[in-house]
Amino acid sequence: MTVPADPSRDLRTALAHRLTAPGDPWRAAFETVPRHVFVPSFHEQAEDGRWVTITPENPRYWEAVYSDRALTTQIADGTPTSSSSQPSLMLEMLHALDMADGHRVLEVGTGTGYNAALLSHRLGDSRVTTMDVDPDLTGAATRRLGEAGHHPAVRVGDGAYGVPDRAPYDRIIATCGLPSVPWPWVEQACEGAVIVVPIGWGVARLTIHGDAAEGAFLPGGAYFMPRRADAPAPDFAGLERTEPRPSRTATPVDALRHLEFPLSLTMPGYRFCTWNREDDGTVEGLGLWTPDGSIARVHADGTVRQAGPRRLWEAVEELHRWFPDTAPARDSFGITVTSGRQWVWLGDPRGPGWDLPPVSGTGGRVR
Ligand SMILES: C[S@@+](CC[C@H](N)C(=O)[O-])C[C@H]1O[C@@H](n2cnc3c(N)ncnc32)[C@H](O)[C@@H]1O
């Protein structure tokens, strides 16, 4: 039997052709860069909640690595902390960057290094800088990038600060979720530069003009892992010591569902859970919490209890007044970033909107 020199070649070609049309500037990169080198194994959650590691010996490995699937590549305390993003979403974000030869790019969220390899293939190693907060990941990514023949600058650190000594950048792309745009990125970007960044459960595309950045959200949803920060576990039992009040929103679960995207902008990093009756699954209560330690619980009888720095249910009620039945599409929202303030708007930068919180620890220039 003749063993093919490169068993992934046909799989790469099939994936590239499934994702891209002929003439797409990213087709050659997807055809050439071997995803399996960057994802030597991944983790899948079984029905009982346990994580199972899938390696190349498993027949499903090759099919999964060259399919249009996000793959979890790192888990800490049962929670995914890094992944190789869904290739079609990566491509959508690369298209949004509108890259040209000669551009210098910063990627925040190296993860496996696969996206950095695609960028290096397109632009050349010397024009690519990638960084991740996790030194284990940057170490492995550097090795795998080298194995695939790429040598971009790989840095360890909190991507919210950017990499000033490699600036200025024509393009900045983040592959972890942020509550707003870190001001250092605007300072490190050239005039006319493009920033593509997941904010809330969407991806914003901003252009730099003067000392501000502005742009709209892409139409599709995106659920990226949030920028790593220490978030306290929610203490729902402690809420019983707080004073209850009636909810002004009659249908809390429906409100959370249809307000998902705007809520992800007003309450960055929010999570929610429900408590359901064992016999018929009826929702008996729901809990809501954010990384700053704010927490709310709404009981089936319509009472609300809240604690922490922010009254989260007030934020839900306010948005529910704005959008009682359905929320506008993602791409009707936009975002403007200046040195003193940044805000999300609906339809027009001067239209209705709300301020975004700063990315903590980035110098406080964005309030
Ligand atoms: C979805 S993964 C990135 C996927 C990656 N682009 C790839 O091609 O494999 C998100 C990454 O963001 C990283 N991350 C989280 N917080 C970060 C931070 N503050 N600065 C830089 N990277 C961060 C995580 O460690 C994780 O590897």
Side-chain angles (χ1 to χ4, degrees), residues 38-39 73-74 81-85 90 107-116 118 130-134 137 157-160 174-178 224-229:
F38 297 92
V39 186
T73 49
Q74 189 189 49
T81 47
S82 191
S83 63
S84 173
S85 309
M90 293 170 66
E107 181 198 31
V108 172
T110 309
T112 65
Y114 180 50
N115 200 42
L118 296 171
T130 181
M131 73 181 308
D132 202 290
V133 72
D134 185 330
L137 292 175
D158 184 349
T175 56
C176 58
L178 283 124
F224 277 91
M225 291 172 180
R227 171 190 182 224
R228 290 195 206 176

Side-chain angles (χ1 to χ4, degrees), residues 96-333:
L97 278 181
D98 193 19
M99 204 88 90
D101 292 347
H103 276 163
R104 294 169 58 87
V105 64
L106 169 66
E107 181 198 31
V108 172
T110 309
T112 65
Y114 180 50
N115 200 42
L118 296 171
L119 291 166
S120 299
H121 181 277
R122 173 94 167 76
L123 296 172
D125 293 343
S126 64
R127 298 199 174 81
V128 178
T129 304
T130 181
M131 73 181 308
D132 202 290
V133 72
D134 185 330
D136 291 343
L137 292 175
T138 52
T142 305
R143 276 196 312 280
R144 291 166 189 157
L145 280 159
E147 215 178 301
H150 296 294
H151 304 277
V154 183
R155 297 290 178 84
V156 187
D158 184 349
Y161 296 92
V163 180
D165 60 288
R166 300 263 307 164
Y169 303 104
D170 301 285
R171 299 291 185 261
I172 297 177
I173 178 170
T175 56
C176 58
L178 283 124
S180 53
V181 180
W183 182 251
W185 297 3
V186 181
E187 291 180 321
Q188 292 169 30
C190 309
E191 175 65 18
V194 173
I195 297 175
V196 173
V197 50
I199 293 187
W201 304 134
V203 176
R205 179 191 191 275
L206 301 98
T207 308
I208 307 279
H209 289 302
D211 55 3
E214 192 166 87
F217 282 83
L218 303 183
Y223 300 86
F224 277 91
M225 291 172 180
R227 171 190 182 224
R228 290 195 206 176
D230 292 334
D235 173 20
F236 285 110
L239 271 184
E240 294 310 313
R241 295 189 292 276
T242 64
E243 202 53 42
R245 70 149 173 91
S247 169
R248 288 183 281 271
T249 298
T251 50
V253 177
D254 292 345
L256 280 190
R257 291 219 171 97
H258 86 254
L259 295 171
E260 182 189 69
F261 176 59
L263 278 175
S264 74
L265 301 173
T266 57
M267 305 191 306
Y270 85 92
R271 308 272 300 274
F272 87 94
C273 64
T274 57
W275 287 272
N276 300 59
R277 267 183 31 187
E278 275 188 13
D279 47 356
D280 62 0
T282 308
V283 176
E284 292 192 303
L286 68 84
L288 193 63
W289 67 102
T290 50
D292 65 359
S294 303
I295 175 171
R297 180 174 175 160
V298 185
H299 295 257
D301 65 3
T303 56
V304 183
R305 293 176 190 268
Q306 306 183 79
R310 239 186 117 186
R311 293 291 171 262
L312 298 180
W313 202 247
E314 262 83 322
V316 177
E317 289 171 334
E318 190 187 343
L319 271 183
H320 199 225
R321 272 196 299 279
W322 281 36
F323 311 121
D325 304 315
T326 171
R330 275 180 173 72
D331 54 354
S332 29
F333 290 91

